[in-house]
Amino acid sequence: MFTILSDHIILTGLILLFLLFSIICQIISAVIYQNMINQADNMSSTENKLLKQCKQKYTSHYKLNGKMINTSVFVDKFLQKISVGGIYLFRLSHISGQLMMLSVLITGITICYLLSEGNSLFQIMPYYMISILGLYLYFSTSGILGIQEKKDILKTNLIDYLENHYAPRLEIEKENALEEGIRKREVYAKELLKEEPEKKENHAEELENLLEEFFA
């Protein structure tokens, strides 16, 4: 019965290939999100490039606006822009679903082709089994990995860190920078006041010298 799979190795290979790629896409997304979740527990010293970019962009937005920003909206936009291999991560889940459906579509086309050649239902049963097991594997993997749940956890962790830890630190740095600027201006003003009498004396000496030369 299973010899029909090897008799049509190209079609069988395409079905299994698209199924494999759909699973890989899910795994890649889950691994990236899980790694970011683990690193988010220690955001202050994280080496994760994506999280470091998140902090840098948040700092830039904060300094540009000069005030607290909508952290939830910022995190949503940041997560939407995460990409791997030039493909946005949120699209990877959609691509995974499309690849799975493409695998099912090729399976259906293969079954129709084999029936048109006169094969019996019993002979093409392996393709039905591949299709059913493929769908089971796809949805089982999706449920086990829990990509959406990981994304929600990551979003919550990022918002918590940025709002409750990072933003107050930026606010303190802003206040310190403002105080430092005021202090420097005060020092500069005092130096100007000290230099002013000296400038007046220099001008008086120059005036006296000019008068002496004029009446000489």
Side-chain angles (χ1 to χ4, degrees):
M1 179 175 68
F2 290 97
T3 56
I4 195 170
L5 298 176
S6 58
D7 292 340
H8 301 84
I9 189 66
I10 295 178
L11 291 172
T12 303
L14 287 174
I15 293 169
L16 296 177
L17 187 64
F18 286 126
L19 173 60
L20 177 63
F21 282 164
S22 70
I23 301 299
I24 290 175
C25 287
Q26 291 192 64
I27 293 174
I28 291 174
S29 298
V31 168
I32 292 175
Y33 282 131
Q34 186 60 51
N35 183 45
M36 292 179 69
I37 290 172
N38 296 336
Q39 291 290 325
D41 292 334
N42 193 18
M43 281 279 287
S44 58
S45 60
T46 182
E47 293 298 326
N48 186 283
K49 292 182 179 180
L50 293 172
L51 294 180
K52 290 172 73 174
Q53 288 177 6
C54 179
K55 291 171 63 177
Q56 291 171 357
K57 289 181 179 179
Y58 189 83
T59 302
S60 299
H61 280 72
Y62 186 90
K63 291 181 178 179
L64 182 64
N65 293 325
K67 59 181 180 180
M68 302 288 284
I69 62 177
N70 192 324
T71 307
S72 179
V73 174
F74 170 83
V75 172
D76 279 332
K77 290 182 178 180
F78 171 75
L79 293 178
Q80 289 176 1
K81 293 180 180 179
I82 296 176
S83 62
V84 52
I87 302 174
Y88 289 118
L89 200 58
F90 75 91
R91 293 185 185 275
L92 213 55
S93 298
H94 302 318
I95 293 174
S96 174
Q98 294 300 318
L99 288 172
M100 183 65 240
M101 294 307 298
L102 192 56
S103 175
V104 173
L105 176 62
I106 295 176
T107 303
I109 293 173
T110 301
I111 291 173
C112 292
Y113 170 72
L114 294 176
L115 287 174
S116 66
E117 282 194 335
N119 291 279
S120 65
L121 184 62
F122 177 76
Q123 289 175 312
I124 63 174
M125 189 62 66
Y127 284 103
Y128 283 108
M129 294 174 62
I130 289 176
S131 181
I132 294 172
L133 291 175
L135 287 170
Y136 175 77
L137 179 62
Y138 172 81
F139 287 110
S140 296
T141 303
S142 178
I144 292 171
L145 295 177
I147 295 174
Q148 185 59 46
E149 288 79 2
K150 285 181 169 59
K151 185 177 179 181
D152 292 339
I153 292 172
L154 177 60
K155 178 181 176 181
T156 301
N157 291 349
L158 289 177
I159 292 175
D160 175 63
Y161 173 78
L162 294 174
E163 281 190 345
N164 300 324
H165 300 278
Y166 199 57
R169 186 187 307 171
L170 292 175
E171 187 67 21
I172 293 173
E173 291 177 358
K174 176 184 173 183
E175 292 176 357
N176 292 339
L178 183 61
E179 291 176 358
E180 182 67 17
I182 294 173
R183 188 185 66 79
K184 288 182 178 180
R185 284 195 294 272
E186 290 176 350
V187 172
Y188 181 70
K190 290 179 180 179
E191 291 178 352
L192 286 178
L193 291 174
K194 289 180 181 179
E195 292 176 357
E196 193 65 27
E198 296 178 359
K199 290 181 180 180
K200 289 181 178 179
E201 291 178 1
N202 292 334
H203 288 313
E205 291 178 359
E206 291 177 0
L207 182 59
E208 289 177 1
N209 293 331
L210 288 173
L211 290 172
E212 290 177 357
E213 291 177 0
F214 179 76
F215 290 108

